[in-house]
Amino acid sequence: MRPLTLRLAGLRAYRAEQTIDFTDASLMAIVGPTGAGKTSLFEALFYALYGGCTWDHRSAVPLIADGTNTMVVDLTFRAHNRTWRVLRSTSRSGSPTAQHVLECLDDTAVRHDHKDQVNATIEDLIGLDAKAFLKAVILPQGKFQELLHTTGRPRTEILKSILGLDQLDIMQNRAREAYDRIHPQLATITGRRQLMFADPQAEANAATQRKQDSETRRTRLRDAKNTIAAAQRERQRLADQAQKIGDAGAALQRVHVADALDTYQRLLTADTTLGIESDRVAREIAAAEAAIASVRADFATAEANGTGQDAVNTAIATLEDAARQQPDLNAEKDHLHQRAEALATERTGLAGHREHAEGAATHAANADTAASTAKQHADEQTQHVEQCTTALAAVRKQIDRGRQADEAHAKADAAVVSAQAALTAAEKAASEAHAVLAQAEEDLETCRRASSAAHAASRSHAGDPCPICSHELPADFVAPTPDGLETATSKVKTAHTVVRQADKAVATATANLEHATSAQAAAEVDSETARKTQTDLIAELSRLLGTVDLDDPDEGILAAVRTAADTASTEAEKAAEASAVALKASTELAVALKLHERRLLEKSDELADAQRAYDKKATALSARLATLPVPFQTEGLPAIAAINTALTLAKQRRAALNDIRNDLERAAQHREGLGAQERTLQQRHLVEIERPSQALHTKIVTTCERAADLAELLNAQNLTECSGDDLQARAIWAREIQETAQLLQRLSETTRTELQTAAAAQYKVVQRALTESQADTSDDLDDLLGHAAADLTLATEHLAEAQRQIPIAAQLDTCISQAQPLTDGLKELCRLLADGKFPAFIVARRQHTLLDLASELLLGMTGHRFRFADDFRIIDGQTGQSRDLKTLSGGETFMASLALALAVVELASRSGGRIEALFLDEGFGALDPNALAGALDALAQQTRGGRLIAVISHVKAVAENIDRLLVVSKRPDGSVIHWATAAERDQLVTDTMTESMIA
C-alpha cells in the first residue's frame, strides 16, 4: 500500500478542508509546533483505511473537530498495481449518515459501499489488520517500539500477517470452508439418489403397460354406468310426470265451484237497481257545484282587479296610517328651510377669516427662507474651518513621515554593507569545511585499505563461511573491529555535517544580502514618495488659506477663518428666532380657521342628515300609497282630503264582499248534504255487489290456474283469459272455465295410464346392463369403476415418477462421480495444514531472514556495534554478549525498533509484499548526531522503488537533513498544511544554526 493523495476536513485540528499530494514524495518530514496536528495526519490515514482511530478501532467520533459535526477523509493509494480510492465520513450527531466507499479507479465495476465490505477488502489489499498495521506501518507516539517488545505468540501472529504468511491460514480456512460447503452437498446428493428407483427406465416401461390395461377396463364400465343412468333417469321422469298429472287433477277437483253461475245472475239484478239511484244523486251534485263555482269566479275576478278581501283590508290600514303622518311631515319640511337660510349667512363670514390667515402664512414662509439662507452660510464657514484644520494636520503628519523615511533609507544602506560582510565570512568558512571533508575521506579510505580483512568479516556471524578461507566460523566468533576505522568514519560523518551546515550558511547569507538590497531599494522609493506627498499637501493648504508660515502655531494660522465662521453662526441664530415668531402667529390663525371650518362643516352635515331623513319618510309614504289598488290610489304625496276620500271608497267595497261570502257558505252546505247521499250509495254497492263479485271471481281464477297447470302437463290447448272487469264479462268467462275443467279431468286419467306402462319398460333396461357388467346393483358397478380408476391413477403416477427420475438420476450420478474425488482431496489438504509443522517451519525461516535484514540495518546505524539474535535479543559487538532489550538506552531502543520496522518493509518488498510505506512519530530526540545521521541514511535507503517514508519530529536536525518538508501551521480557525518552499527550508536551517551557536 502506497499513499498518493490525502484529503481531510473536520478532523481534530483541521476544521477546513486540507489536501496532501504524496505522489512525488519519498523521504519526507512533517514539522510544526506542538498541538498543530502533525500526529492527526496519521490518524486520518488510519481512519481512511480501517474506519476507526488508533486507540479505538471501532469508533472515529473522538477524531471529529470541536465545533463541527461531520468529519470527511478521502485517500487514494496504490495496491496490487492498481489505484484505489477510499472515502469515509462520520457525524457526531449521526446525521448525515456515515459514508464508507471503496472503489478501484482502474476498474469502475469494482466498488463497495458497506463498512464491513470496505474494511475486509482493504485488509486483503494491504495484508494487515488494524493492530498489525499499527505495529509495522504506522508507529504512533508511545507505540513505536511495540513490535520490538511484543513476545511469544502475539509476535508470531503479527509477523505472519506482516510477511504474508497468514495466507497459509487463509488457505487452510478456505480449504475447510470448501470441504464444509461441498461435503454436505455431496451427502445430500447421494441421499437423494438412494431414494430413487435403481433403474427408472425399466420402471417406466412396466407402468406404461399397466396404464393401458386400466384405461380399457374403465371405458367399458363407464359405458355400462351411462346406460343405467340414462334408463333410470327416463323411468323416474315418466313416474314423476304421471304423479304430477294426478296431483294436478286432484287440485282442480278441490277448487270446483258448483253454484257460480246462479250467484252471478243474482249480482247482475242488484247492480242495475243501485245504478238508477246513483244517477239521480249525481245530477243534483253537479247543479250545486255549478252555483258554488260561479260565486268563486266572482271572488277570483275581484282578487285579479286588486279589490279582493285582503287587498281592501290592506288599503284601509295604509290610508288610515297616511292620514296620521301627513301633518307631521309638513311641519318638518318648514323647519328644514329655516336651518338652510341660517347656514348660508355663516358661510359668508368665514371668507374674511380665511384671507387674514393666508397673509400670516406668507410672512412666516419668507422668514423661514431667510433663516435657511443664514444657516447654509454658517455651515459653509464651519466646513471651511474643518477643511483647513484637516489639511494643516496632514501637512504636519507628512513632514514627520518624510523624516522617518530618510532615517529608514540610511539604515537600509548600513544593512547592505553588513550582509556583504557576512556573505564573505560564510564563503570562507564553507571553503575551509570542504577542505576538512576531503582530508577526512582520504584518511578513511587509507584506513579501509589497511584493514580489508577485518572489513570483509564485518558482516559474518558464528556458523557462517569465512570470507577468507571459506571454513565455518566458530560459535564464539565476533567480527573484529579495525583499528582507527570507527574514528575515521565518525570524522567523515562529522565533516559531512559541517559541510552541509556551511553550504546552507552560504545560501542563507546570499539570501540575506538579496533581502537587504531589496529593502534598500524599497526605502529609497519610500523616501522619494514622502517628499512628493509633502509638496502636494502644502499646495492644497495654500489653496484653502493662502500663503501661510508653517513655523506659526495652528491657532494663529486658523484664527481668521474661525472668526468668520463664528459671525455667520450668530446671524443664523437671529434669523431662526424671527422665523419662529412668524410661524407661531401663522399657526395660531390657521388653527382658528380650521376650527371655524370644522364647525360649519358639522352643521352642514347635520342639515343634510335631517333632509335625508325627511326625504326617506316622504318617499316611503308615497311608495306605500302607490301600491294600493287603482280605485284607491292618489298621485304623489296627497293632501289629507284626498286620503280621506280614498278611505271611504275602500270601506264601501269591504261591505259588498261580506255579502257575497255569505251566499257562498249557504251553497257549500247544500253540496255537503248531497255528498252524504252519494257516499251511502257507494257503500251499499261495495258491500252488496263488489265484494261478493270479487270473492266469486277469485275462486274462478283459482280454478282457471289449476286447470292451466293440468293443461300444461297434458300439452292441451291454453285457457282463455277474462275479456273485461265488469260483472257481465266475468259471468260469461266463469261458464267457459267450468266447461274446460271437466274436459281436462277426463284427459288426465288416460295419460297417467300410458306413462306408468313406459316406466316399467325402462326398469328392464337397467337390469340387463347390470347383468352384462357382472354387478348386482348400481353400487357394485360404482365400486368396480372406482377400482379401475385407482389402478389407472397409480399406473400414471408411477410412470410420471419414473420418467421424472430418468434425467435427474443421470445428473446425480455424474455429480457424485465428479465431487467425491474433490472432497477427498480437500479433506487431506486440511489435515496436512492443521498439524502446524509446515506453517511453523515457514515462520521460523522468514523470521530468521527478517532478523538478518534488521541486523544489517542496525549495524549501519550503530557503527557496527549492535545486531539481532535469533530470539530478538540484541548482541553487543563490543562485548560479544547478547543483551536484554530492557538494558538498551532510549536512543539504542529507538534504532533497534527502526531497524526492525525497516527490515519488515524490505522483506515484504523482496517477497512481493504489500507494505510500500512507513510512518514514524517521534523518537529521534534520543539520538546523538552520528546516530541520527545513520538512522536518516537507513531511512533514505528504504525509499528505493518509490516507497514512502514519513517522519514526525520536533528535532530540527531531522527536518534539516530531509528535502521534502510538510509544514503544519496552527491558526485560530484550524490548522493548515503546505509543502515547504526552498526559502522556508533554508530559514529552518538558519534558525537551527542560530540556536546551536547561542547554545
Side-chain angles (χ1 to χ4, degrees):
M1 188 282 297
R2 207 291 188 183
L4 299 178
T5 61
L6 176 65
R7 180 175 64 86
L8 65 156
L11 187 146
R12 300 186 77 171
Y14 302 99
R15 295 195 184 114
E17 182 176 308
Q18 303 293 319
T19 302
I20 307 173
D21 188 351
F22 298 106
T23 305
D24 298 330
S26 53
L27 178 60
M28 59 174 286
I30 304 174
V31 297
T34 301
K38 301 185 295 298
T39 304
S40 297
L41 297 178
F42 289 175
E43 291 290 348
L45 181 65
F46 184 82
Y47 167 65
L49 293 174
Y50 294 98
C53 49
T54 57
W55 65 90
D56 184 357
H57 301 169
R58 296 170 299 176
S59 174
V61 173
L63 295 178
I64 300 176
D66 295 338
T68 60
N69 180 57
T70 304
M71 169 182 64
V72 179
V73 177
D74 187 351
L75 172 68
T76 58
F77 61 94
R78 291 284 295 175
H80 288 278
N81 294 322
R82 304 174 84 179
T83 303
W84 300 82
R85 175 175 179 259
V86 59
L87 172 66
R88 297 187 192 258
S89 68
T90 299
S91 298
R92 194 189 309 275
S93 62
S95 177
T97 57
Q99 279 186 294
H100 302 276
V101 179
L102 174 66
E103 57 184 350
C104 179
L105 300 183
D106 299 328
D107 185 357
T108 56
V110 180
R111 178 184 171 89
H112 306 286
D113 53 9
H114 189 275
K115 182 177 181 180
D116 293 339
Q117 294 177 335
V118 172
N119 290 349
T121 304
I122 288 180
E123 286 189 16
D124 185 58
L125 289 172
I126 300 177
L128 302 173
D129 61 14
K131 293 181 179 179
F133 190 81
L134 289 177
K135 290 179 174 65
V137 180
I138 288 184
L139 304 180
Q141 290 181 352
K143 295 188 177 182
F144 189 78
Q145 304 166 11
E146 191 167 347
L147 178 60
L148 180 65
H149 291 291
T150 302
T151 60
R153 183 174 181 83
R155 176 187 284 160
T156 300
E157 294 301 323
I158 293 172
L159 290 174
K160 286 174 64 179
S161 176
I162 293 173
L163 301 175
L165 300 181
D166 53 351
Q167 296 298 322
L168 296 177
D169 294 336
I170 295 174
M171 183 184 300
Q172 179 185 358
N173 293 334
R174 289 181 177 175
R176 171 60 60 188
E177 291 173 358
Y179 178 80
D180 293 342
R181 185 176 66 255
I182 297 174
H183 180 67
Q185 296 178 3
L186 178 60
T188 301
I189 293 173
T190 303
R192 287 181 59 193
R193 184 62 185 91
Q194 292 174 351
L195 295 175
M196 295 181 178
F197 298 130
D199 187 354
Q201 186 60 55
E203 293 292 335
N205 295 336
T208 300
Q209 185 60 44
R210 292 198 303 275
K211 179 181 178 182
Q212 293 174 352
D213 295 342
S214 298
E215 286 177 343
T216 301
R217 185 168 67 258
R218 186 185 65 173
T219 300
R220 180 171 53 82
L221 292 173
R222 277 183 176 176
D223 293 342
K225 181 176 178 62
N226 292 337
T227 299
I228 292 173
Q232 288 178 339
R233 285 194 299 273
E234 181 61 17
R235 179 191 174 197
Q236 185 63 41
R237 186 189 68 77
L238 294 171
D240 292 343
Q241 185 70 7
Q243 181 65 36
K244 289 179 180 179
I245 291 173
D247 294 342
L252 178 59
Q253 184 62 35
R254 286 193 299 272
V255 298
H256 178 66
V257 182
D259 59 346
L261 299 180
D262 295 338
T263 301
Y264 267 116
Q265 187 60 42
R266 289 196 302 273
L267 290 175
L268 287 171
T269 303
D271 183 56
T272 300
T273 302
L274 288 176
I276 295 171
E277 185 65 18
S278 295
D279 290 342
R280 180 188 63 78
V281 173
R283 287 193 297 271
E284 293 181 1
I285 288 175
E289 289 180 346
I292 292 172
S294 176
V295 175
R296 286 178 176 172
D298 294 339
F299 270 113
T301 301
E303 290 293 338
N305 295 332
T307 56
Q309 186 70 49
D310 294 337
V312 169
N313 291 335
T314 301
I316 292 172
T318 300
L319 290 169
E320 289 175 346
D321 185 58
R324 289 192 298 271
Q325 292 185 26
Q326 184 63 28
D328 295 336
L329 288 174
N330 291 334
E332 185 174 354
K333 181 178 180 181
D334 294 339
H335 182 64
L336 289 173
H337 181 70
Q338 294 172 0
R339 290 176 63 184
E341 291 178 347
L343 186 62
T345 301
E346 191 172 354
R347 284 196 182 98
T348 302
L350 178 64
H353 191 175
R354 182 178 295 109
E355 183 178 355
H356 188 198
E358 289 174 353
T362 301
H363 177 66
N366 293 335
D368 182 66
T369 301
S372 298
T373 302
K375 179 65 168 60
Q376 181 178 1
H377 179 65
D379 291 342
E380 290 174 353
Q381 291 298 320
T382 302
Q383 184 179 5
H384 183 64
V385 170
E386 292 176 353
Q387 290 176 346
C388 293
T389 303
T390 302
L392 181 58
V395 169
R396 303 244 186 240
K397 186 175 182 180
Q398 187 59 35
I399 291 173
D400 292 338
R401 288 179 178 174
R403 187 181 303 108
Q404 293 172 0
D406 292 340
E407 292 174 356
H409 189 191
K411 290 180 180 179
D413 293 340
V416 170
V417 174
S418 177
Q420 289 174 343
L423 176 58
T424 302
E427 290 175 343
K428 180 179 179 181
S431 176
E432 293 174 353
H434 278 284
V436 172
L437 175 60
Q439 184 61 45
E441 289 177 341
E442 183 178 350
D443 294 343
L444 176 60
E445 183 62 26
T446 300
C447 184
R448 284 177 175 172
R449 285 195 300 270
S451 305
S452 58
H455 179 70
S458 62
R459 298 189 179 184
S460 299
H461 307 285
D464 292 343
C466 176
I468 305 300
C469 63
S470 301
H471 289 88
E472 182 176 343
L473 295 175
D476 57 351
F477 170 78
V478 177
T481 302
D483 295 337
L485 181 59
E486 182 176 354
T487 301
T489 302
S490 177
K491 289 181 178 180
V492 170
K493 290 182 179 180
T494 301
H496 272 292
T497 301
V498 173
V499 165
R500 284 196 297 271
Q501 293 174 349
D503 290 342
K504 291 176 182 177
V506 171
T508 301
T510 301
N512 290 340
L513 178 57
E514 293 175 353
H515 178 71
T517 302
S518 299
Q520 181 186 34
E524 183 176 359
V525 172
D526 291 343
S527 178
E528 181 63 26
T529 302
R531 284 193 294 272
K532 185 178 183 303
T533 302
Q534 178 179 337
T535 301
D536 294 340
L537 291 175
I538 292 173
E540 176 62 17
L541 181 62
S542 299
R543 185 186 67 80
L544 294 173
L545 292 174
T547 303
V548 296
D549 187 355
L550 294 176
D551 293 334
D552 293 338
D554 291 354
E555 292 297 329
I557 295 172
L558 299 173
V561 293
R562 286 179 176 172
T563 300
D566 292 341
T567 301
S569 297
T570 302
E571 294 296 329
E573 291 174 358
K574 292 179 180 179
E577 292 175 357
S579 175
V581 172
L583 178 62
K584 180 179 180 183
S586 174
T587 302
E588 291 174 350
L589 287 173
V591 170
L593 177 63
K594 288 184 179 296
L595 290 174
H596 192 177
E597 290 176 342
R598 185 180 298 113
R599 286 195 301 271
L600 186 59
L601 181 61
E602 289 174 353
K603 292 180 180 180
S604 298
D605 293 340
E606 291 173 357
L607 178 60
D609 291 340
Q611 182 66 45
R612 282 193 294 272
Y614 168 80
D615 293 342
K616 183 177 180 181
K617 288 186 286 185
T619 301
L621 180 59
S622 298
R624 290 178 60 191
L625 293 174
T627 60
L628 295 175
V630 174
F632 314 129
Q633 288 183 1
T634 60
E635 294 183 2
L637 186 62
I640 188 63
I643 294 174
N644 291 332
T645 300
L647 180 60
T648 301
L649 292 175
K651 290 180 178 180
Q652 292 174 354
R653 177 58 180 169
R654 181 171 60 182
L657 290 173
N658 289 335
D659 294 339
I660 297 174
R661 181 178 291 103
N662 293 334
D663 294 340
L664 179 61
E665 289 177 355
R666 286 190 295 271
Q669 292 174 357
H670 178 64
R671 171 63 180 82
E672 185 176 354
L674 292 173
Q677 295 180 25
E678 184 180 35
R679 288 192 294 274
T680 300
L681 293 173
Q682 290 174 349
Q683 181 64 24
R684 286 184 59 193
H685 191 272
L686 175 65
V687 174
E688 298 174 5
I689 305 300
E690 293 179 11
R691 288 178 180 174
S693 171
Q694 184 62 35
L696 181 59
H697 181 68
T698 300
K699 293 179 180 179
I700 297 301
V701 169
T702 302
T703 302
C704 179
E705 291 173 351
R706 300 294 178 269
D709 294 340
L710 181 59
E712 182 179 2
L713 293 173
L714 296 174
N715 294 324
Q717 183 178 0
N718 293 332
L719 278 72
T720 60
E721 296 181 356
C722 184
S723 59
D725 290 335
D726 58 285
L727 191 59
Q728 182 67 36
R730 289 182 176 182
I732 296 172
W733 182 65
R735 182 180 294 105
E736 295 175 354
I737 294 302
Q738 294 284 51
E739 294 173 354
T740 302
Q742 293 175 1
L743 293 175
L744 291 173
Q745 287 283 11
R746 291 192 294 272
L747 179 59
S748 65
E749 294 297 332
T750 303
T751 303
R752 285 183 62 198
T753 302
E754 295 175 352
L755 292 173
Q756 290 171 353
T757 301
Q762 292 298 323
Y763 177 76
K764 294 179 181 179
V765 173
V766 171
Q767 294 301 319
R768 183 167 58 254
L770 289 174
T771 301
E772 293 175 353
S773 300
Q774 299 179 352
D776 295 333
T777 64
S778 297
D779 292 339
D780 293 340
L781 179 61
D782 290 339
D783 291 340
L784 292 175
L785 184 60
H787 292 159
D791 292 343
L792 176 60
T793 300
L794 291 175
T796 302
E797 292 175 351
H798 195 78
L799 174 60
E801 179 63 21
Q803 290 175 339
R804 185 188 68 82
Q805 289 185 10
I806 290 174
I808 298 175
Q811 184 179 6
L812 292 178
D813 291 340
T814 301
C815 292
I816 292 172
S817 64
Q818 294 176 351
Q820 190 64 53
L822 177 60
T823 55
D824 294 342
L826 289 172
K827 183 176 182 181
E828 180 63 16
L829 178 59
C830 292
R831 185 188 67 79
L832 293 174
L833 293 177
D835 61 8
K837 293 181 181 180
F838 178 69
F841 170 73
I842 295 297
V843 171
R845 287 290 301 273
R846 299 303 296 275
Q847 178 176 311
H848 180 74
T849 304
L850 172 66
L851 292 174
D852 284 347
L853 289 173
S855 295
E856 182 179 349
L857 293 167
L858 185 58
L859 286 169
M861 286 188 283
T862 60
H864 297 277
R865 178 180 177 184
F866 294 116
R867 62 184 176 86
F868 284 97
D870 290 339
D871 58 355
F872 282 86
R873 291 170 64 84
I874 299 296
I875 297 177
D876 191 336
Q878 292 182 352
T879 63
Q881 302 296 320
S882 63
R883 294 170 55 179
D884 190 272
L885 295 171
K886 298 178 181 179
T887 65
L888 299 178
S889 66
E892 292 169 345
T893 301
F894 173 77
M895 289 190 290
S897 301
L898 178 60
L900 188 59
L902 295 177
V904 168
V905 176
E906 180 64 24
L907 184 59
S909 176
R910 292 182 182 181
S911 59
R914 292 156 286 179
I915 302 177
E916 300 177 24
L918 182 64
F919 302 91
L920 311 177
D921 191 353
E922 295 302 342
F924 295 96
L927 304 181
D928 58 34
N930 291 334
L932 178 60
L936 294 178
D937 288 341
L939 289 175
Q941 291 296 321
Q942 293 300 315
T943 61
R944 296 192 305 267
R947 185 177 298 135
L948 174 65
I949 306 293
V951 298
I952 291 178
S953 179
H954 290 283
V955 180
K956 292 187 176 180
V958 174
E960 175 186 335
N961 289 277
I962 295 178
D963 291 335
R964 294 285 281 170
L965 298 182
L966 186 65
V967 180
V968 181
S969 301
K970 188 175 182 181
R971 296 182 180 177
D973 56 347
S975 297
V976 296
I977 305 170
H978 72 280
W979 288 105
T981 63
E984 289 176 323
R985 189 174 180 278
D986 292 342
Q987 186 62 42
L988 179 63
V989 173
T990 301
D991 293 343
T992 303
M993 293 177 64
T994 302
E995 292 174 1
S996 63
M997 288 187 291
I998 293 174

